[in-house]
Amino acid sequence: MVVRLHEIAAFCMGVNAIIGIMPNPSSSKISQPKSNQVVLPQIAQARLARLQARTARIGVIGLGYVGLPLSLLLSEAGFKVTGFDNDAKKVDELEAGLSYILRILPEEIAAARQQGFSATTDFARIADQDAILLCVPTPLTQHREPDLSFVLHTARAAAPWIREGQLVVLESTTYPGTTEELLIPALEAGNTQGLKVQTQGQSAEHGVFYVAFSPEREDPGNVTVARRDIPKVVGGHEAIASELAATLYEGIFARAVRVSSTRVAEMTKLLENIYRCVNIALVNELKLLSLRMGVDIWEVIDAAATKPFGFQPFYPGPGLGGHCIPIDPFYLSWKAREYDFNTRFIELAGEVNEAMPAHVVQSVARALNEHKKSMNGARILMLGMAYKKDIDDLRESPSLTVIELLREQGAEVVYNDPYFPTVGRGRHYNLNMSSTPLTDLQQYDCVLIMTDHSDYDYGAIVNESKLVIDTRNATKGIASEKIVRC
Ligand SMILES: NC(=O)c1ccc[n+]([C@@H]2O[C@H](COP(=O)([O-])OP(=O)(O)OC[C@H]3O[C@@H](n4cnc5c(N)ncnc54)[C@H](O)[C@@H]3O)[C@@H](O)[C@H]2O)c1
């Protein structure tokens, strides 16, 4: 008998099903499948059927910038979603139908709740889920090493509640090997039922759960690609986990891209982010040279981008920001040391990009000097706290570093950002500032554009200011001697 995967749900009640095409095995014993053939045991069949029918219950752990939109997408597709977070305030807000992420409207939370979405801090509810998706932070420590404490704490908290046949997927960005070396041992060690992860080449009928890695490709503020049109890379610890995870994601994304292992999936995400990091460093370095040569680097990039092949534009800026590009490459350079390998491109890119905030501050000092002003005592209005335009995220934002550096030199800094009425305390800062209205710009010695939010009227800002330092080419097309691009 031949079984096709998409027919499994309708077909195989009470018999083993097969991923790929092969004769039906006669018993529930572990079989020896040929290369691309894997026996699907009954405990996985039931989950697969529910995933295909979208009647599966999905738990999302970590309801932040990644986990909350993912929960809503799953909910919209018909899945019954339970969100888990250890931040009780977030859970309470979601339960009250509110949203703490600007681009997510309370109406979207309400629609998800109608569809059965609920949020909780109670990890015991993990036991009721068919699949659990982990979307917790993966920052760097103070010594710029991977901080996997969030993943580890989550795994330890979830482990007692993992049940036979469940699928666990890690979505957090991390180095190759994390799923196998850290997540799986923690889940197995803490499981009160003694369950083990399904291993490659076997298809146990009992006592196992399934594990996969699937990196998140969310691009906050990007309105050109719908989230569901971003293909989802999926790598299972073995073939059954791959199939279950790919089936789940095919329910919400246009395409799932199956790769051969969790390590390949982990490395894919890092390649994507390192590619960005290195190319941004390249244009940042060329910007520094172009400034000396009196060449407009932004005009150069726009011209080069007309080439229909072999060139993708990247843009210089005041430094890297966000939870990904400034952090993720260092996950790989850290892991590379285990293999006596030095990731020189990553280190060099880091060096160039990390020097950009200091370059901005130097440019401000030089421009003030030309206006016969010293940095000490200068009144500076910074436009933009967010790490990129039109979003409410300031994690790792270069604006935070630049404020610190300007203040060290005696400048008096205020800011305006429509996305941040106030900025309090974070992991690396404690500012306690409020957004200043964009009025009476003449009172400032300099207006410093750090984020090119679309809401700003740059023509009016230039008109009303004494001096404008533009780190983003936001004033493109405006001719004025008051503008210094840096
Ligand atoms: N933000 C992005 O644009 C983006 C894009 C791609 C990938 N990623 C990756 O996705 C992962 C999550 O990032 P994010 O931006 O959503 O982070 P976030 O900080 O916005 O959200 C993480 C959530 O996890 C919760 N959490 C932390 N520890 C927990 C625990 N032990 N149990 C339950 N909940 C816990 C936090 O309270 C928070 O709500 C990271 O690995 C990041 O690198 C993020």
Side-chain angles (χ1 to χ4, degrees):
M1 184 172 121
V2 169
V3 179
R4 283 180 209 285
L5 185 63
H6 67 270
E7 295 167 344
I8 286 171
F11 213 122
C12 50
M13 305 308 287
V15 291
N16 280 346
I18 305 150
I19 293 172
I21 298 173
M22 67 176 283
N24 203 20
S26 55
S27 79
S28 63
K29 273 194 268 161
I30 294 167
S31 69
Q32 294 301 318
K34 294 184 193 119
S35 58
N36 61 349
Q37 297 169 336
V38 175
V39 179
L40 197 68
Q42 287 181 24
I43 53 166
Q45 287 172 33
R47 308 274 174 188
L48 187 75
R50 285 202 286 278
L51 290 169
Q52 287 175 326
R54 300 187 192 175
T55 51
R57 304 173 75 99
I58 315 291
V60 177
I61 308 184
L63 299 171
Y65 288 93
V66 165
L68 184 56
L70 180 66
S71 301
L72 299 183
L73 212 55
L74 285 159
S75 208
E76 207 180 294
F79 292 103
K80 187 110 191 263
V81 182
T82 307
F84 298 83
D85 205 292
N86 61 358
D87 183 339
K89 191 164 168 275
K90 283 185 179 169
V91 167
D92 288 346
E93 286 189 41
L94 293 173
E95 285 295 279
L98 303 172
S99 169
Y100 40 79
I101 296 179
L102 205 67
R103 65 180 185 279
I104 295 177
L105 303 174
E107 291 75 19
E108 294 175 68
I109 308 287
R113 288 179 61 75
Q114 287 238 313
Q115 188 61 41
F117 171 71
S118 66
T120 181
T121 54
D122 179 9
F123 273 52
R125 286 176 60 187
I126 285 175
D128 305 329
Q129 312 302 317
D130 289 296
I132 298 116
L133 314 180
L134 273 55
C135 307
V136 293
T138 44
L140 292 173
T141 65
Q142 270 195 330
H143 300 105
R144 304 196 69 69
E145 292 185 347
D147 177 1
L148 284 165
S149 60
F150 296 91
V151 174
L152 212 48
H153 287 150
T154 306
R156 286 179 184 148
W161 310 106
I162 299 295
R163 294 292 174 260
E164 188 173 270
Q166 273 181 346
L167 170 70
V168 180
V169 186
L170 179 62
E171 291 219 3
S172 306
T173 310
T174 184
Y175 56 76
T178 309
T179 307
E180 288 177 355
E181 294 162 12
L182 194 131
L183 178 67
I184 291 174
L187 291 174
E188 287 184 340
N191 188 260
T192 43
Q193 304 192 331
L195 301 177
K196 296 288 171 207
V197 70
Q198 173 71 67
T199 51
Q200 185 68 39
Q202 299 186 323
S203 71
E205 280 294 354
H206 294 292
V208 296
F209 60 97
Y210 304 100
V211 173
F213 181 85
S214 178
E216 175 53 52
R217 281 173 160 171
E218 163 93 343
D219 183 16
N222 185 337
V223 287
T224 57
V225 188
R227 189 131 190 263
R228 63 181 66 253
D229 290 333
I230 303 173
K232 194 82 164 88
V233 173
V234 178
H237 182 56
E238 42 63 62
I240 300 172
S242 250
E243 210 47 50
L244 289 172
T247 304
L248 163 58
Y249 289 117
E250 279 162 358
I252 51 170
F253 293 105
R255 191 156 77 94
V257 180
R258 292 158 170 83
V259 295
S260 61
S261 66
T262 53
R263 282 168 197 265
V264 169
E266 287 160 337
M267 187 71 149
T268 302
K269 173 70 183 175
L270 290 185
L271 170 62
E272 292 167 10
N273 284 357
I274 292 164
Y275 172 77
R276 273 191 71 71
C277 178
V278 167
N279 279 287
I280 291 169
L282 174 69
V283 289
N284 274 334
E285 188 173 75
L286 292 183
K287 175 181 79 170
L288 298 182
L289 174 62
S290 300
L291 284 168
R292 289 190 187 195
M293 297 172 101
V295 174
D296 181 342
I297 187 70
W298 287 278
E299 189 184 351
V300 172
I301 295 168
D302 286 348
T306 60
K307 187 178 176 187
F309 50 87
F311 183 84
Q312 187 188 354
F314 288 87
Y315 297 96
L320 297 181
H323 188 12
C324 296
I325 311 296
I327 292 172
D328 304 344
F330 296 105
Y331 267 65
L332 191 62
S333 32
W334 179 85
K335 186 67 176 173
R337 281 180 227 139
E338 195 179 307
Y339 297 84
D340 293 327
F341 193 92
N342 185 12
T343 52
R344 287 174 293 164
F345 268 106
I346 295 174
E347 299 300 337
L348 181 60
E351 201 181 296
V352 173
N353 289 328
E354 280 167 21
M356 296 317 291
H359 159 74
V360 171
V361 173
Q362 264 176 18
S363 305
V364 172
R366 202 176 304 122
L368 285 170
N369 195 39
E370 280 179 17
H371 281 234
K372 302 196 185 325
K373 293 266 171 215
S374 71
M375 183 74 104
N376 197 349
R379 297 205 68 208
I380 298 175
L381 170 64
M382 178 183 280
L383 299 187
M385 272 289 182
Y387 77 86
K388 71 173 181 177
K389 71 192 277 184
D390 303 340
I391 63 162
D392 60 337
D393 190 347
L394 54 62
R395 287 176 295 175
E396 313 293 327
S397 174
S399 297
L400 301 164
T401 314
V402 167
I403 288 182
E404 211 172 279
L405 295 175
L406 290 171
R407 283 180 168 174
E408 272 172 19
Q409 296 195 30
E412 194 188 308
V413 188
V414 294
Y415 84 91
N416 175 279
D417 192 317
Y419 293 87
F420 288 100
T422 58
V423 176
R425 191 191 183 99
R427 271 164 60 88
H428 307 299
Y429 60 90
N430 185 8
L431 287 178
N432 201 16
M433 294 170 80
S434 303
S435 181
T436 303
L438 266 188
T439 50
D440 189 14
L441 299 187
Q442 278 289 319
Q443 67 180 298
Y444 303 107
D445 297 308
C446 149
V447 172
L448 170 59
I449 301 172
M450 287 292 290
T451 319
D452 49 344
H453 287 313
S454 307
D455 284 354
Y456 289 134
D457 178 345
Y458 293 102
I461 288 167
V462 172
N463 270 342
E464 290 168 29
S465 307
K466 289 183 194 161
L467 170 65
V468 175
I469 315 278
D470 182 2
T471 66
R472 299 276 190 179
N473 202 29
T475 56
K476 179 181 175 181
I478 302 172
S480 167
E481 293 201 341
K482 293 186 210 169
I483 303 171
V484 174
R485 296 194 175 91
C486 78

